[in-house]
């Protein structure tokens, strides 16, 4: 049996229809849920996670929109994804930064236990957290095939989504 991982990045209410929501993000929710539900392998979810001091952080100073504060409705996974996560008993990794060093280290440990055959990423936002996690994982696991499903991602804007896909292609991430 193949040892495959699907990483569902930050499919949270604040990015779908909340403080930083976009129509493009809302449009992929059901398709991401369907992909996760039918995935043959381990599904892992991440949550962008901030504290009440968000606006005083470096990120908050550069993006002064309070979002994904732990314990709020905006921090929760979008309902369709929360349902899939619960059905699968999938792990969730809370991350205080764009890219999760915890997620990358967790994958490195899994790979040491049993070589990973492939890692696939999808979610939000292509141009911030998806690309950051893809590049961290690529750096830590350069020989593991890594892909991003472009139809199951959305960026801050359609243009920044495309720019991030181009960046990932340049770094030998298979963009589908």
């Amino acid at each position: 049996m193949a040892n495959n991982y699907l990483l569902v990045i930050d499919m949270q209410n604040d990015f779908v229809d909340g403080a930083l929501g976009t129509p493009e993000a809302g449009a992929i929710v059901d398709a991401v849920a369907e992909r996760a539900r039918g995935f043959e392998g381990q599904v892992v979810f991440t949550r962008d996670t901030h504290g009440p001091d968000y606006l005083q952080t470096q990120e908050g100073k550069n993006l002064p929109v309070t979002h994904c504060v732990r314990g709020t409705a905006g921090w929760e996974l979008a309902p369709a994804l929360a349902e899939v996560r619960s059905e699968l008993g999938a792990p969730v990794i809370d991350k205080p930064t764009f890219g999760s060093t915890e997620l990358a280290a967790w994958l490195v440990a899994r790979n040491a236990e049993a070589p990973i055959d492939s890692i696939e990423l999808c979610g939000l936002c292509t141009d911030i957290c998806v690309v950051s996690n893809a590049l961290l994982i690529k750096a830590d696991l350069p020989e593991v095939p890594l892909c991003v499903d472009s139809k199951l991602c959305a960026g801050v804007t359609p243009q920044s989504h495309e720019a991030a896909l181009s960046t990932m292609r340049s770094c030998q991430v298979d963009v589908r």
Side-chain angles (χ1 to χ4, degrees), residues 99-167:
S100 175
T101 55
E102 180 183 346
L103 173 61
W106 186 85
L107 288 165
V108 167
R110 299 296 78 72
N111 189 60
E113 293 169 3
I116 296 174
D117 294 308
S118 70
I119 299 171
E120 178 181 332
L121 287 88
C122 63
L124 304 170
C125 294
T126 319
D127 47 323
I128 301 174
C129 293
V130 174
V131 67
S132 295
N133 283 289
L135 296 180
L136 274 173
I137 293 163
K138 189 68 174 169
D140 282 350
L141 295 168
E143 296 303 317
V144 175
L146 182 63
C147 73
V148 171
D149 189 329
S150 63
K151 292 179 183 70
L152 298 181
C153 293
V156 173
T157 67
Q159 296 79 13
S160 61
H161 167 78
E162 289 300 327
L165 295 175
S166 179
T167 295

Side-chain angles (χ1 to χ4, degrees), residues 61-98:
K61 290 174 183 172
N62 287 295
L63 177 62
V65 178
T66 301
H67 65 282
C68 297
V69 173
R70 182 185 301 277
T72 66
W75 174 70
E76 298 293 337
L77 294 173
L81 281 300
E83 181 179 309
V84 172
R85 194 222 57 80
S86 179
E87 288 170 10
L88 299 176
V92 179
I93 296 176
D94 293 334
K95 55 184 199 53
T97 58
F98 301 145

